Amino acid sequence: MADTLNTAVAILRKNKFKLTKQRHALLEFLLTNQGHYTDVVTVDAYMRTEFPGMSHNTVYRNLKEFEEVGIVEQNTEQERTRVKYQCDFHHQHHHHFICQNCGKVTELQMCPMDFFTDQLPGYEITGHSFELYGICAECKAAGVSADPDTLVKN
């Protein structure tokens, strides 16, 4: 865990960001929740509890800056923005399977873009987003079904 935190600190310094107490606390919070996406509202509430004078704008700006330098991954689902600590600093382009019950995020090792690029000769693809949703092996073994009416909303 310390190596991951050191990597994030090095990325901040490389991009000329100061490592303030607030940024350090934000990194630690995200690292503690590394295996799951966390709602930005939850991150904001935590940070404002730890630093009562901190504004919403400061929290959101720091999350955006962390995303821009590759420390944070962002996900938007049903108009809710969620963030998580970067899975893999060496392979920033990757995709996820997200458990709809527990919220566990599993990194996928393959990108399906070649499949689509082959079907669109002459086209220029400028970006994409790809995530799989379902029930992780642990939740399935515990008897959780993929019934959308019984799933926990993360």
Side-chain angles (χ1 to χ4, degrees):
M1 190 157 109
D3 286 344
T4 308
L5 181 61
N6 291 338
T7 301
V9 169
I11 290 169
L12 286 175
R13 289 190 173 132
K14 177 183 170 193
N15 287 278
K16 310 280 190 266
F17 287 100
K18 293 180 184 173
L19 184 61
T20 63
K21 292 184 297 186
Q22 293 87 349
R23 284 188 178 130
H24 195 270
L26 181 55
L27 287 173
E28 287 182 337
F29 177 79
L30 293 168
L31 192 53
T32 301
N33 296 288
Q34 183 174 4
H36 296 81
Y37 278 100
T38 304
D39 197 306
V40 172
V41 173
T42 302
V43 176
D44 181 54
Y46 170 80
M47 290 302 293
R48 291 169 46 77
T49 299
E50 294 294 307
F51 302 95
M54 190 174 211
S55 72
H56 296 291
N57 286 345
T58 300
V59 174
Y60 288 87
R61 185 185 72 249
N62 276 285
L63 288 172
K64 184 68 177 161
E65 290 168 346
F66 284 10
E67 180 190 14
E68 288 171 358
V69 297
I71 294 172
V72 165
E73 299 176 35
Q74 183 176 309
N75 166 286
T76 303
E77 182 183 354
Q78 298 174 355
E79 299 181 21
R80 288 180 23 217
T81 301
R82 303 177 307 171
V83 293
K84 70 176 285 305
Y85 205 80
Q86 175 63 260
C87 289
D88 186 347
F89 287 107
H90 302 292
H91 302 99
Q92 292 204 0
H93 179 84
H94 60 271
H95 303 285
H96 299 130
F97 173 90
I98 302 169
C99 181
Q100 291 176 286
N101 181 60
C102 70
K104 178 182 176 183
V105 176
T106 303
E107 182 178 351
L108 302 175
Q109 298 299 316
M110 194 252 334
C111 178
M113 281 310 296
D114 289 342
F115 175 78
F116 298 110
T117 303
D118 292 345
Q119 294 183 51
L120 299 166
Y123 287 67
E124 180 181 348
I125 299 171
T126 59
H128 70 280
S129 175
F130 181 78
E131 294 168 335
L132 297 173
Y133 297 92
I135 306 299
C136 70
E138 292 85 3
C139 289
K140 190 166 180 166
V144 174
S145 73
D147 180 1
D149 293 332
T150 63
L151 294 176
V152 175
K153 301 296 183 207
N154 293 317

